[in-house]
C-alpha cells in the first residue's frame, strides 16, 4: 500500500475518525473509526472500480460519518461522491454530484449545516472554472446547487465555507483574470440565494485563500496568501462586515524572511482575537537544512486592531509623502504608500535632472515604507547643499517631492 493523503476528525466525545487515500490494486479511500481509547471500531474501503481521491471528512456527532471523494470516471471526467456511514460502518446513503455541461466538479470543502445537512464548496474544471456551492440534506438529497461567478467572469473557484447559526453560508475563494487574482467573499441565505458578494483586488501575483472564519457578530475574516514574482509568500487578513462592506486588511508579512511565510493555521476566538501559525523561510539559509525553517506564531488582539489600524491597513492609493525633516542635515526620511504589489524605484535627482542616488529599485508588496537618504550620491560622497527631488515610480504611478539639503 502507498498512502497519499489523510484527514482526521475528532468528535466532542473523543471518538476519532480517520480517512486515508491509498493505493493497493486501485487508488481509493479507507475510512476508520476509533473509540476514545484508540481501539479500532471498524474500517471500510470505498467500494468502487474507479480511482478515488480523498476530498473531505465530517462527523455528524451521532456516530455517523460523511466521506467526500473525487470519483474519477475517466481520464477527462470527475465528479464528487459523498458516502455516509452509520455508527456501525454500514453505508447509509450515497450521492454523486456533478454540474451539467462540465466534465469535472472539484470539491474544496465540506461543512455540516445548522440543520444537520451538508454544505459543499468547490468549482468546475481546472480552467475557465465556475464556483460551486451545494446544499445536501441529512440523507444526501441535493436541496440546491448554485453557480457563483462574479462580474461576468467564467473563472471562479470557491475554497472555503462557513455556515452561521441562521443557516446562512459564507464563502471565500478567488477569481482569476489576466490583470489580477482578486479574493472573493460572499454570503448565501439558507435557500442558496446571494445576499451579498465582494472582492479584494489589492494584490497581484498568484493569490489564494487559506481560511475563513466568522466572529461573534457574523463578520467574516479571510486569510489570503499571495506569491509574488520573486517567489516569496506573504499573507493578509481581510475583514468584511456582516453586511458585505469591505472593512480592512492587515499585512502580517514583516520582511524578516526573504522567502516569506508558509501559513499552516488560522483561528479566530470568541473574543475576536486572531491567531496565525506558520513557518518563515530565509533564502540565505536554504543550504543549511537545520536553519531552513523558523516557526512563527502571531496573535492579533482585537482591542489593538483599532489602535493600530492606521499603521496596518493596506493603503487604498499610491502616495509619496513630503520628506521630514525638510530642510535637513544630515539625513531625511521619505515615506510612500503602495496599494498593491508594484515594481518600485525611488531616485534622487539634482536641479539639472541628473541621477544622484537610487534609494529603491525592487518589486514591493502593498504597504507603507520609510526610506532614509543621508545626503550622499551613488559613490558615497556627500552632495552639495541645495535643492533635490525624490521621484517615486511604482507601476504606472509617478510622483515627486522637493527637498533641501543644508550644508
Amino acid at each position: 500500500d502507498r498512502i497519499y493523503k489523510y484527514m482526521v476528525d475528532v468528535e466532542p466525545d473523543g471518538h476519532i475518525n480517520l480517512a486515508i487515500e491509498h493505493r493497493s490494486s486501485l487508488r481509493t479511500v479507507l475510512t476508520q473509526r476509533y473509540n476514545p481509547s484508540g481501539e479500532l471500531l471498524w474500517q471500510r474501503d470505498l467500494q468502487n472500480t474507479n480511482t478515488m481521491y480523498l476530498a473531505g471528512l465530517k462527523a455528524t456527532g451521532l456516530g455517523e460519518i460523511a466521506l467526500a471523494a473525487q470519483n474519477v470516471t475517466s481520464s477527462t471526467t470527475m465528479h464528487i461522491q459523498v458516502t455516509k456511514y452509520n455508527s456501525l460502518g454500514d453505508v447509509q446513503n450515497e450521492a454523486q454530484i456533478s454540474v451539467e455541461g462540465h466534465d469535472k466538479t472539484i470539491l474544496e470543502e465540506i461543512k455540516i449545516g445548522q440543520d444537520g445537512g451538508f454544505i459543499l464548496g468547490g468549482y468546475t474544471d481546472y480552467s475557465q472554472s465556475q464556483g460551486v456551492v451545494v446544499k445536501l440534506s441529512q440523507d444526501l438529497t441535493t436541496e440546491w446547487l448554485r453557480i457563483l461567478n462574479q462580474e461576468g467572469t467564467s473563472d471562479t473557484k470557491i475554497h472555503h465555507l462557513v455556515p452561521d447559526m441562521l443557516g446562512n453560508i459564507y464563502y471565500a475563494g478567488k477569481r482569476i483574470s489576466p490583470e489580477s487574482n482578486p479574493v472573493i467573499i460572499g454570503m448565501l441565505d439558507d435557500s442558496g440565494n446571494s445576499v451579498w458578494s465582494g472582492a479584494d483586488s489589492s494584490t497581484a501575483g498568484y493569490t489564494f485563500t487559506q481560511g475563513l472564519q466568522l466572529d461573534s457578530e457574523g463578520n467574516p475574516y479571510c486569510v489570503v496568501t499571495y506569491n509574488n514574482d520573486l517567489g516569496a509568500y506573504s499573507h493578509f487578513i481581510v475583514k468584511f462586515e456582516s453586511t458585505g462592506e469591505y472593512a480592512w486588511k492587515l499585512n502580517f508579512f514583516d520582511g524578516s524572511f526573504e522567502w516569506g511565510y508558509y501559513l499552516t493555521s488560522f483561528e479566530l476566538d470568541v473574543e475576536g482575537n486572531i491567531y496565525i501559525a506558520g513557518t518563515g523561510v530565509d533564502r540565505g539559509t536554504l543550504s543549511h537544512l537545520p536553519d531552513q525553517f523558523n516557526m512563527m506564531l502571531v496573535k492579533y488582539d482585537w482591542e489593538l486592531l483599532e489602535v493600530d489600524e492606521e499603521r496596518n491597513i493596506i493603503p487604498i492609493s499610491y502616495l509619496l509623502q513630503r520628506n521630514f525633516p525638510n530642510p535637513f542635515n544630515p539625513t531625511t526620511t521619505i515615506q510612500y504608500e503602495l496599494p498593491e504589489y508594484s515594481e518600485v524605484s525611488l531616485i534622487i535627482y539634482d536641479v539639472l535632472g541628473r541621477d544622484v542616488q537610487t534609494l529603491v529599485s525592487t518589486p514591493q508588496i502593498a504597504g507603507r515604507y520609510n526610506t532614509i537618504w543621508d545626503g550622499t550620491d551613488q559613490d558615497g560622497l556627500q552632495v552639495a547643499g541645495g535643492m533635490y527631488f525624490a521621484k517615486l515610480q511604482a507601476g504606472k504611478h509617478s510622483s515627486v517631492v522637493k527637498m533641501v539639503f543644508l550644508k
Side-chain angles (χ1 to χ4, degrees):
D1 261 15
R2 178 178 178 183
I3 294 177
Y4 296 92
K5 182 180 180 180
Y6 67 89
M7 293 182 178
V8 179
D9 192 5
V10 181
E11 299 177 37
D13 64 2
H15 280 82
I16 304 165
N17 304 296
L18 178 65
I20 305 169
E21 181 185 317
H22 70 107
R23 179 193 291 274
S24 50
S25 59
L26 194 68
R27 191 159 175 166
T28 188
V29 180
L30 174 70
T31 305
Q32 298 177 329
R33 180 170 169 80
Y34 295 85
N35 67 19
S37 300
E39 298 172 328
L40 179 65
L41 300 178
W42 55 260
Q43 62 178 6
R44 300 288 186 273
D45 255 332
L46 283 177
Q47 300 300 309
N48 201 303
T49 58
N50 300 325
T51 297
M52 308 293 287
Y53 298 126
L54 174 61
L57 176 70
K58 281 296 173 185
T60 66
L62 303 173
E64 301 169 335
I65 303 170
L67 174 71
Q70 299 290 165
N71 188 334
V72 183
T73 54
S74 73
S75 60
T76 59
T77 58
M78 178 169 63
H79 60 258
I80 302 169
Q81 176 175 312
V82 181
T83 303
K84 188 175 181 181
Y85 296 101
N86 64 20
S87 59
L88 301 177
D90 301 321
V91 175
Q92 196 170 25
N93 304 100
E94 196 166 77
Q96 309 288 335
I97 301 165
S98 60
V99 178
E100 185 176 356
H102 295 270
D103 293 331
K104 295 180 176 68
T105 306
I106 297 100
L107 178 66
E108 285 287 290
E109 188 154 57
I110 180 172
K111 291 291 183 73
I112 297 178
Q114 294 303 312
D115 60 358
F118 301 93
I119 306 158
L120 288 71
Y123 54 93
T124 64
D125 310 312
Y126 289 116
S127 63
Q128 298 300 304
S129 307
Q130 294 182 315
V132 177
V133 178
V134 184
K135 177 67 167 60
L136 303 179
S137 65
Q138 294 186 36
D139 64 1
L140 302 187
T141 301
T142 299
E143 295 186 359
W144 49 259
L145 184 154
R146 295 292 180 266
I147 300 295
L148 303 176
N149 281 335
Q150 295 195 346
E151 297 181 3
T153 180
S154 60
D155 211 342
T156 300
K157 291 179 169 66
I158 303 302
H159 295 295
H160 300 284
L161 300 170
V162 177
D164 68 11
M165 298 297 292
L166 301 176
N168 301 308
I169 301 166
Y170 294 80
Y171 63 85
K174 68 178 179 180
R175 184 177 69 241
I176 303 173
S177 68
E179 295 80 20
S180 63
N181 298 329
V183 172
I184 61 170
I185 192 166
M187 174 183 168
L188 306 176
D189 65 20
D190 58 0
S191 298
N193 302 309
S194 178
V195 179
W196 59 262
S197 62
D200 171 63
S201 305
S202 60
T203 54
Y206 181 66
T207 307
F208 51 97
T209 57
Q210 291 280 77
L212 179 65
Q213 300 275 346
L214 297 181
D215 65 17
S216 58
E217 298 178 351
N219 303 308
Y221 297 70
C222 184
V223 165
V224 181
T225 294
Y226 101 96
N227 180 238
N228 63 27
D229 292 344
L230 300 178
Y233 288 92
S234 52
H235 305 280
F236 303 87
I237 304 169
V238 183
K239 178 186 176 183
F240 283 77
E241 304 294 346
S242 59
T243 51
E245 289 85 5
Y246 178 89
W248 48 253
K249 181 184 211 175
L250 303 179
N251 178 3
F252 59 94
F253 171 70
D254 65 4
S256 300
F257 302 103
E258 189 172 356
W259 276 16
Y261 295 122
Y262 294 93
L263 180 70
T264 57
S265 183
F266 156 56
E267 295 293 337
L268 185 70
D269 67 20
V270 294
E271 295 180 348
N273 301 310
I274 300 170
Y275 301 84
I276 305 291
T279 54
V281 183
D282 193 332
R283 185 195 303 269
T285 65
L286 288 180
S287 60
H288 306 290
L289 187 59
D291 300 324
Q292 179 175 352
F293 295 98
N294 302 271
M295 295 301 297
M296 175 195 73
L297 180 62
V298 179
K299 175 185 176 182
Y300 287 99
D301 190 313
W302 72 272
E303 292 179 321
L304 296 181
L305 287 177
E306 293 299 326
V307 176
D308 294 342
E309 186 176 80
E310 183 177 351
R311 175 176 60 85
N312 285 311
I313 292 181
I314 300 300
I316 60 173
S317 62
Y318 290 98
L319 177 64
L320 175 62
Q321 299 195 29
R322 293 184 179 276
N323 62 301
F324 63 92
N326 192 31
F328 70 96
N329 185 323
T331 63
T332 189
T333 299
I334 304 168
Q335 292 186 338
Y336 59 93
E337 301 179 1
L338 308 175
E340 60 186 358
Y341 172 85
S342 306
E343 293 282 346
V344 178
S345 69
L346 181 62
I347 301 175
I348 306 300
Y349 295 92
D350 64 17
V351 291
L352 299 178
R354 296 174 298 193
D355 293 12
V356 174
Q357 174 77 276
T358 298
L359 300 179
V360 178
S361 180
T362 185
Q364 292 182 325
I365 63 174
R368 292 177 169 85
Y369 295 85
N370 292 330
T371 301
I372 295 175
W373 183 41
D374 60 1
T376 61
D377 61 16
Q378 297 283 38
D379 297 322
L381 302 176
Q382 191 173 71
V383 299
M387 182 176 294
Y388 293 85
F389 302 90
K391 180 180 179 181
L392 174 69
Q393 184 72 46
K396 298 180 180 180
H397 172 83
S398 179
S399 54
V400 176
V401 295
K402 296 179 182 180
M403 306 182 294
V404 176
F405 179 62
L406 298 177
K407 195 68 177 280

